[in-house]
Amino acid sequence: MSSEATGYTILDRYRSIASKLKKRFLRKPNEAEAAEGFISLGHHCESEELPQYAAMSWLAAARCEGSLSHPVSETSLLVRAGRQFLKAGNDDLDIGCISVSSESLQAGLACHNHASSRYPEDSLLALGLNLEIIEYLKRIECTESLEVYLNNALELSKGTAEAHLHCLDLLASYYISTGECVSGVHTYQKIASILQNSYLNGHTCELLLKCEVNSVFLLLILRPSPHNISADFAKILEKYTWGDQNDETLQACRMTERLFILLQSLVTSCQSRSTTNLVEIEADFWPYLSTEQKDLLRILVKTYYY
């Protein structure tokens, strides 16, 4: 059966179920029966890999559950509808069918936002929904709404230290992707400040090291001079200018001597505007960097060469 024919069959079923919601003389709409029908249709559409129709069915079921004053079921169905709308949008992108108005994306975000508003303010479920949307927006490279959801996640994560650090790290990566170097450094320094007042383990030491390395790269991209750099930012670079390997931050993040020497060489070369050995330094850095850091260092080297 063709997808078009399947669509007509599903729409016929949808209309048949929706007819149970019409008001008739001396007869109330059967919300419960309609909800069951829409849920069954949603399962069917998901099994047939028809996310747009599945989303419409889950959303209709959510409205029925809302009318029946079943907030838990309503919220669960809204989340399911949102995920299917987003899947439909992603499928369209995969085949190159790009919608100018992004109907599926907007419908998916609306469902998630509605569901998120139903959770208590301190609920980790609301935070989880925001993080789910953030990952989706990053995957489809939709930056227009990304910062809004990152800031929402930051607010929702304030009561959980580990989640809050994760959200700050995501925000810093967002600033890197949009070229907002100053905001990126500020965010990494905020993470470092939190970590320096906390118990450090393997994971948090790695995060602190990431903050240090990325802050140095971002500051050097800005090509600072003694006259246009703040005291806080200057302090980050001074430890490499003066070779202060005993700095408290470097001790806390367990920076190796090799990495310290590479950063020192990089800072010295950039501050002296000596670009002859930057490519060689970049190659030496490679084994110590993540993909994001390699991209950042590539931008840095190009900044001083061109």
Side-chain angles (χ1 to χ4, degrees):
M1 182 180 293
S2 70
S3 59
E4 184 179 0
T6 303
Y8 280 123
T9 302
I10 289 169
L11 288 175
D12 288 341
R13 287 181 60 182
Y14 185 95
R15 293 190 189 98
S16 175
I17 298 166
S19 67
K20 295 179 172 60
L21 299 174
K22 291 181 179 179
K23 292 182 180 179
R24 292 183 173 85
F25 183 66
L26 297 179
R27 184 179 173 187
K28 291 182 179 181
N30 195 333
E31 302 277 0
E33 186 179 346
E36 289 180 8
F38 285 129
I39 289 171
S40 175
L41 184 57
H43 282 297
H44 171 73
C45 292
E46 280 195 19
S47 68
E48 295 292 323
E49 293 290 329
L50 297 168
Q52 189 76 37
Y53 293 114
M56 290 168 56
S57 301
W58 294 126
L59 184 57
R63 288 171 179 152
C64 293
E65 293 293 343
S67 299
L68 292 166
S69 300
H70 297 161
V72 175
S73 298
E74 180 192 11
T75 304
S76 176
L77 290 165
L78 282 169
V79 171
R80 197 152 188 173
R83 286 172 178 161
Q84 288 298 304
F85 275 126
L86 295 181
K87 185 179 186 305
N90 197 53
D91 289 349
D92 288 344
L93 284 175
D94 287 344
I95 63 174
C97 181
I98 301 172
S99 168
V100 176
S101 55
S102 304
E103 300 99 333
S104 295
L105 172 62
Q106 296 308 320
L109 295 181
C111 288
H112 276 74
N113 291 339
H114 192 183
S116 184
S117 69
R118 295 305 183 93
Y119 293 121
E121 288 185 6
D122 58 348
S123 171
L124 290 179
L125 292 172
L127 172 60
L129 274 183
N130 267 268
L131 291 175
E132 188 176 319
I133 294 170
I134 288 166
E135 288 305 312
Y136 178 82
L137 293 174
K138 283 169 59 181
R139 188 167 65 250
I140 66 171
E141 299 180 354
C142 178
T143 58
E144 292 86 352
S145 306
L146 191 50
E147 189 171 7
V148 173
Y149 285 98
L150 283 166
N151 286 319
N152 286 345
L154 276 177
E155 285 298 315
L156 292 167
S157 66
K158 281 184 174 178
T160 310
E162 186 175 349
H164 194 59
L165 287 169
H166 177 64
C167 292
L168 282 169
D169 191 23
L170 289 174
L171 182 61
S173 292
Y174 165 77
Y175 287 137
I176 288 175
S177 69
T178 55
E180 299 174 67
C181 298
V182 174
S183 296
V185 178
H186 279 304
T187 306
Y188 280 126
Q189 291 312 295
K190 190 179 294 186
I191 296 172
S193 177
I194 294 171
L195 289 174
Q196 285 168 350
N197 295 314
S198 310
Y199 170 76
L200 293 174
N201 54 33
H203 171 69
T204 50
C205 279
E206 284 182 12
L207 181 55
L208 187 58
L209 181 61
K210 175 183 178 179
C211 291
E212 180 70 14
V213 173
N214 286 14
S215 293
V216 171
F217 288 173
L218 288 167
L219 283 174
L220 293 177
I221 288 172
L222 292 168
R223 299 175 73 107
S225 71
H227 309 292
N228 67 1
I229 186 170
S230 69
D232 289 339
F233 285 1
K235 190 176 178 181
I236 296 170
L237 298 177
E238 281 175 359
K239 62 178 76 80
Y240 303 102
T241 306
W242 303 106
D244 184 11
Q245 196 170 355
N246 295 318
D247 177 84
E248 188 177 301
T249 302
L250 301 187
Q251 293 292 315
C253 71
R254 303 173 190 172
M255 182 181 289
T256 64
E257 183 177 1
R258 176 60 176 160
L259 185 54
F260 176 82
I261 291 171
L262 287 171
L263 285 168
Q264 187 178 29
S265 301
L266 184 67
V267 171
T268 303
S269 296
C270 291
Q271 288 180 334
S272 65
R273 300 296 192 266
S274 174
T275 60
T276 53
N277 61 341
L278 275 182
V279 173
E280 183 179 341
I281 294 172
E282 180 185 18
D284 290 338
F285 260 114
W286 230 236
Y288 303 96
L289 304 180
S290 67
T291 300
E292 180 181 68
Q293 289 171 331
K294 288 175 181 176
D295 292 340
L296 203 53
L297 183 56
R298 189 88 287 270
I299 293 169
L300 168 58
V301 172
K302 287 181 178 179
T303 299
Y304 283 83
Y305 264 105
Y306 303 105

